[in-house]
Amino acid sequence: MKIQIINGPNLNLLGVREKSIYGNSDFEAYLKELRKRYKNLTIDYYQSNVEGEIINKLHETGFTYDGIVLNAGAYTHTSIAIADAIAAINTPVIEVHISNVYKREEFRHSSMLAANCKGVIAGFGMDSYRLAIESLLK
Ligand code: DQA
């Protein structure tokens, strides 16, 4: 089984950025743990701060991978273009957030992407990614 994780803008700064919200771990360290835990899965990782590059990655993996775990960061709340890309591909996409966006500012309460995703997982810290993978395995 092949799973693509895509992280959007500012998520390259995990472990540095707003630690009280996003925690102390950088994504690469967490990814190592995930790959160790799911040895039988191919887990590919991509991060970009650029909307079009996220769309390109969705197109590239969205017809051959078994699942995509997408944390689109702030684009979640704004991007019709990413929503259209999710609708255009065949691979199921799980929307993920590290923080509980519903406990935060109101502009984070709406997602442009959620309606085109298989489901949404938010608020479990980095564990949100693992929970998304678990949901794809079922
Ligand atoms: C986030 C939540 C978004 O509102 C925010 O813009 C992010 C990270 C999260 O993982 O909690 O960049 O997607």
Side-chain angles (χ1 to χ4, degrees):
M1 202 171 167
K2 275 174 83 173
I3 290 173
Q4 176 72 52
I5 298 175
I6 303 176
N7 272 345
N10 302 306
L11 294 165
N12 53 314
L13 295 182
L14 286 174
V16 176
R17 162 195 195 202
E18 299 178 277
K19 289 184 188 177
S20 61
I21 299 172
Y22 299 113
N24 295 315
S25 171
D26 63 66
F27 198 79
E28 281 68 20
Y30 177 70
L31 186 62
K32 242 186 221 169
E33 280 177 38
L34 266 186
R35 285 179 172 149
K36 223 190 267 172
R37 188 179 186 128
Y38 296 103
K39 286 202 178 75
N40 54 333
L41 301 181
T42 300
I43 303 176
D44 289 335
Y45 175 58
Y46 181 74
Q47 189 278 328
S48 176
N49 296 317
V50 180
E51 188 176 22
E53 289 180 357
I54 294 167
I55 292 166
N56 286 342
K57 186 52 80 176
L58 287 166
H59 292 176
E60 190 186 308
T61 55
F63 296 92
T64 49
Y65 279 62
D66 300 294
I68 297 173
V69 177
L70 172 64
N71 185 346
Y75 285 140
T76 305
H77 317 299
T78 62
S79 180
I80 295 167
I82 294 177
D84 282 351
I86 296 167
I89 61 178
N90 294 336
T91 300
V93 177
I94 313 292
E95 177 182 322
V96 154
H97 301 286
I98 296 165
S99 65
N100 181 349
V101 284
Y102 301 101
K103 270 191 187 167
R104 301 180 63 194
E105 304 95 320
E106 210 169 317
F107 66 83
R108 295 184 204 275
H109 298 181
S110 74
S111 169
M112 290 286 178
L113 316 182
N116 294 343
C117 290
K118 189 172 179 210
V120 179
I121 296 172
F124 296 95
M126 291 290 216
D127 206 35
S128 294
Y129 293 88
R130 184 190 63 79
L131 292 167
I133 290 173
E134 282 295 326
S135 77
L136 287 165
L137 293 178
K138 297 242 156 87

